[in-house]
Amino acid sequence: MNPRGHDILYGIHPVAEAMTANRRRFEEIYIVSDKPGPRIQELMKQAKSLGLPLHQLSREELERLTVTDAHQGIAARTSAFPVTDWAEMLMAPSDPAIFLLLDSIVDPQNLGTLIRTALCVGVKGVIIPKDRSAGPTPAVSKASAGALEHMNLAQVVNLVSAMKDLKKIGGWIIGLDAAGYQSIYDTDFTGIAGIVIGGEEAGIRPLVSRECDFLAHIPMKGAINSLNASVAGGVVLYEAFRQQNL
């Protein structure tokens, strides 16, 4: 989140999906000064139809503006990402429903990938801590291929309190842990399920782990016995999706 109240989105998918989602206020569009490709030309047409100022920059200027060389020739100045109020997210959730709680995911690439998968399986909302976590930044939107722009994401002061809130509305909390005593394939993800995925280095913190109703692991066979957070999250989210859509 940009403390000045705006973001510089970059990349074709983030800009396009933000326009489609219509949750941000667009201020300006920046494109490379050399001949843009057809996808950028289409976004330029959309920007003109909305009356947005279009500015042509060199690739070097666009790189300085976005602080990356992964801008794909387009960027946009927009309002900051609209986080969802946690209390509103909890109101009248459908049953079944999946909530994804991320404990100290600090890599924007992992957060973006998890959000993209969460959107694909219809997760009700993603919950992240305000501290010790990557936030909903332009880098995360880029890593999610723009999926962030459609996702309900809440930032909470205390993840354990959020877990308790989910329990109050009838939810079960399942933590993904290599030391979990049951397989994810023997775990019930029906109903209202809160899935907790821990950080890249230490996994789920002890306080968070103790609040889980179940700890489940992904069965593995081979010389390597661990997956990174985004891949592990994808496996468990699709198992939950499968169970909730039988």
Side-chain angles (χ1 to χ4, degrees):
M1 187 67 63
N2 192 308
R4 294 175 297 175
H6 71 257
D7 281 339
I8 301 294
L9 284 181
Y10 58 88
I12 292 170
H13 287 300
V15 173
E17 296 303 333
M19 282 188 173
T20 300
N22 195 30
R23 299 168 71 195
R24 294 181 186 255
R25 182 185 69 258
F26 275 74
E27 298 173 3
E28 297 175 312
I29 301 289
Y30 308 93
I31 59 168
V32 290
S33 52
D34 51 331
K35 186 176 180 180
R39 298 171 76 188
I40 292 180
Q41 289 181 30
E42 181 59 34
L43 290 174
M44 291 170 63
K45 290 179 183 178
Q46 290 185 44
K48 289 177 180 178
S49 71
L50 295 172
L52 296 175
L54 282 168
H55 303 283
Q56 290 190 328
L57 303 177
S58 69
R59 289 192 176 274
E60 292 75 18
E61 289 172 325
L62 198 55
E63 184 173 332
R64 286 196 294 271
L65 177 68
T66 59
V67 199
T68 180
D69 60 0
H71 49 66
Q72 296 181 303
I74 188 167
R77 183 183 297 272
T78 74
S79 56
F81 177 78
V83 295
T84 304
D85 181 76
W86 172 232
E88 291 182 7
M89 190 183 290
L90 277 176
M91 291 176 63
S94 58
D95 186 351
I98 303 170
F99 290 85
L100 179 62
L101 300 100
L102 302 177
D103 183 24
S104 306
I105 298 291
V106 297
D107 184 341
Q109 184 68 44
N110 277 337
L111 179 56
T113 302
L114 283 163
I115 287 171
R116 184 176 184 180
T117 305
L119 188 69
C120 288
V121 302
V123 162
K124 169 78 173 178
V126 174
I127 303 94
I128 62 174
K130 288 186 176 179
D131 299 318
R132 301 183 301 277
S133 173
T137 62
V140 171
S141 188
K142 179 67 166 59
S144 75
L148 173 66
E149 305 306 320
H150 301 277
M151 177 54 68
N152 292 321
L153 182 145
Q155 290 182 298
V156 297
V157 174
N158 189 308
L159 199 64
V160 170
S161 294
M163 295 162 72
K164 291 179 178 178
D165 291 338
L166 270 176
K167 291 182 180 184
K168 289 176 184 176
I169 63 169
W172 292 94
I173 310 297
I174 301 101
L176 189 61
D177 193 317
Y181 48 84
Q182 63 191 51
S183 161
I184 62 168
Y185 304 114
D186 297 321
T187 301
D188 185 357
F189 290 98
T190 59
I192 298 175
I195 298 173
V196 184
I197 297 172
E200 294 87 352
E201 297 297 327
I204 300 175
R205 290 173 294 152
L207 278 174
V208 175
S209 179
R210 286 196 288 271
E211 193 60 37
C212 293
D213 295 302
F214 306 101
L215 293 177
H217 67 271
I218 299 172
M220 298 184 198
K221 182 179 181 180
I224 303 294
N225 63 355
S226 65
L227 298 169
N228 85 355
S230 60
V231 173
V235 173
V236 70
L237 283 170
Y238 266 95
E239 173 58 17
F241 174 75
R242 183 191 69 81
Q243 290 188 25
Q244 294 199 356
N245 291 274
L246 288 175

